[in-house]
Amino acid sequence: MGACLALCSLASCASCLCGSAPCLLCGCCPSSNNSTITRLVFSFFLLMGTMVSVIMILPGMETQLRKIPGFCKGGIIVGYKSVYRMCFAMACFFFLFAAIMIRVRSSKDPRASVQNGFWFFKFLILVGITVGAFFIPDGTFNTVWFYFGIVGSFAFILIQLVLLIDFAHSWNKIWVGNAEESSNKCWYAGLLTFTVLFYALAFAAVVLFYVYYTQPDDCVEHKVFISLNLVFCIIISIVSILPKIQEAQPHSGLLQASLISLYTMYVTWSAMTNNPNRNCNPSLLSLVSNISTTQSPADSNPGQVQWWDAQGVVGLIIFLFCTLYASIRSSTNTQVNKLMQTEEGRGSGGEGVVGEDGIRRAVDNEEEGVSYSYSFFHFHLCLASLYIMMTLTNWYEPDTTMQVMQSSMPAVWVKMSSSWLGLGLYLWTLLAPLIFPNRDFN
């Protein structure tokens, strides 16, 4: 499937170079204006780079990499260096396209053909940047790129929250609409079930945080983080069901608030796992087997970087969901569309028409305006590359000798700040229609 898509040409809009059969992904030949297919293929590039990064950081793979002459001069953290360079290449690739696609307004712009075609050459560009990235000397590269990763990840966490808000909004609207049209109360029961489930998980997380991530005479920061976010989640839940809010936004409710509360607790957990104080940051192993872990993974085993922990796995799952959703989303939420640089009602970029040969081909539907911002989409993937880099390396900060990776408080504050800003952003989506009643926020 990937090879087929990579060889699809947009120069002719007529057929796939890989053969006369339709592409396996969509059942059609990807034409120059099938915006969904374009986003999916770029997302596939990102996921492909993510898989390579995961493979290269595995402990067994690190041993094999040492056998390559000249590849492992840095010694014990080859896997970590590989992730940094792979994600650097992906970030550069997407940032390049973000710059190229600035102010593309319609498919009449010649750059639209570049956006939607020439996949084989794009793949070669990505491979070339990746190969070149592995020749970057160590020096201060890893330390500097770590701070780039922190800033980019901060922004991407906010984007993830916006996508989750949009997903919950669309979910609630569709199920409520189905219930009203069919008079079937099962849709309401489903919404209630998921809402209760999300709140139950969030409350359980708070209890576990207090039990395992705080100490009676220590971990003051954690106590403040947990308490503040618990209070903030209660506030947004109450605000979301106020009569004035319901009047201005009939589709707002506890489903969205419960999902945002659960995500906020995840970010809180993720932040606390980066606290260098091991008394306040027990490993998952110590929680399960009662083994004391007062040292960081790098201190206890300096020959290996430990990244495959529970919060990292959850982070990857959320990342995959948000990346896929961003590629196929078609939202009616005006506020979210403005934040994500998309507009309802503009070109859909992919209405299928069956030709005489029976093959479904996409029709140009972006002549009057593109269905999404090409530049912002690539910038979003650039930030996603940085987020993946930080997630796979567990937000560890390399020291100046490049021999160990250690947790750092800056990573903790970045995550907590993003959770607070995200909660404020969601609160704004609830209050904005009341503050500006003359503007359309529906």
Side-chain angles (χ1 to χ4, degrees), residues 56 71 81-93 125-138 141-142 145:
M56 298 188 78
F71 192 81
K81 288 161 57 177
S82 300
V83 171
Y84 266 44
R85 281 155 176 75
M86 184 69 224
C87 293
F88 171 80
M90 291 193 297
C92 290
F93 174 78
I125 293 173
L126 178 58
V127 171
I129 297 175
T130 302
V131 172
F134 278 88
F135 287 94
I136 299 176
D138 285 335
F141 168 78
N142 297 279
W145 197 238

Side-chain angles (χ1 to χ4, degrees), residues 21-71:
C23 291
L24 299 178
L25 180 62
C26 60
C28 68
C29 178
S31 83
S32 62
N33 297 284
N34 197 329
S35 62
T36 301
I37 294 298
T38 295
R39 286 181 284 182
L40 284 173
V41 176
F42 276 116
S43 297
F44 173 75
F45 282 175
L46 176 64
L47 297 180
M48 182 172 58
T50 302
M51 288 188 293
V52 172
S53 299
V54 169
I55 293 172
M56 298 188 78
I57 203 174
L58 293 176
M61 182 58 63
E62 181 176 335
T63 301
Q64 298 299 319
L65 291 176
R66 285 201 184 98
K67 299 178 182 179
I68 303 177
F71 192 81

Side-chain angles (χ1 to χ4, degrees), residues 75 102 116 171 194 211 223 228 267 295 300 303 324 369 418 420:
I102 291 177
N116 296 294
W171 181 7
F194 279 104
V211 172
K223 295 174 184 177
L228 277 179
V267 176
Q295 292 181 318
S300 60
L324 178 61
S418 65
W420 295 331

Side-chain angles (χ1 to χ4, degrees), residues 183-384:
S183 299
N184 190 340
K185 302 301 181 182
C186 291
W187 295 105
Y188 290 121
L191 289 176
L192 178 61
T193 300
F194 279 104
T195 300
V196 173
L197 176 62
F198 293 154
Y199 274 125
L201 292 174
F203 179 75
V206 170
V207 174
L208 293 174
F209 294 163
Y210 277 120
V211 172
Y212 293 109
Y213 288 89
T214 63
Q215 299 292 335
D217 56 349
D218 198 0
C219 312
V220 177
E221 298 93 341
H222 286 190
K223 295 174 184 177
V224 173
F225 294 158
I226 300 169
S227 301
L228 277 179
N229 278 355
L230 175 60
V231 172
F232 292 155
C233 289
I234 294 175
I235 291 175
I236 64 170
S237 298
I238 294 175
V239 171
S240 68
I241 57 175
L242 291 176
K244 288 289 187 180
I245 299 296
Q246 289 290 307
E247 181 181 347
Q249 297 196 73
H251 294 289
S252 69
L254 290 178
L255 177 66
Q256 295 94 316
S258 65
L259 183 59
I260 298 309
S261 297
L262 183 59
Y263 180 73
T264 298
M265 292 307 160
Y266 159 72
V267 176
T268 305
W269 174 42
S270 180
M272 292 188 297
T273 59
N274 282 113
N275 191 334
N277 183 354
R278 304 307 292 182
N279 291 326
C280 304
N281 179 17
S283 69
L284 184 63
L285 178 62
S286 68
L287 298 181
V288 175
S289 59
N290 294 323
I291 297 176
S292 176
T293 55
T294 57
Q295 292 181 318
S296 66
D299 295 331
S300 60
N301 186 6
Q304 177 178 323
V305 173
Q306 180 181 356
W307 67 273
W308 191 262
D309 58 3
Q311 70 90 13
V313 174
V314 175
L316 284 177
I317 293 174
I318 296 175
F319 158 77
L320 292 173
F321 170 79
C322 290
T323 300
L324 178 61
Y325 183 68
S327 300
I328 63 176
R329 66 182 294 274
S330 179
S331 176
T332 59
N333 190 314
T334 306
Q335 296 179 80
V336 175
N337 283 336
K338 289 180 178 179
L339 289 171
M340 296 298 296
Q341 296 293 299
T342 57
E343 293 292 341
E344 180 195 10
R346 297 174 67 176
S348 63
E351 294 183 356
V353 174
V354 179
E356 296 180 357
D357 54 3
I359 297 178
R360 180 180 295 274
R361 294 184 173 85
V363 176
D364 185 347
N365 198 26
E366 292 186 317
E367 288 188 351
E368 301 301 324
V370 296
S371 58
Y372 65 101
S373 169
Y374 294 169
S375 182
F376 184 83
F377 175 73
H378 288 295
F379 183 66
H380 158 246
L381 295 184
C382 176
L383 296 178

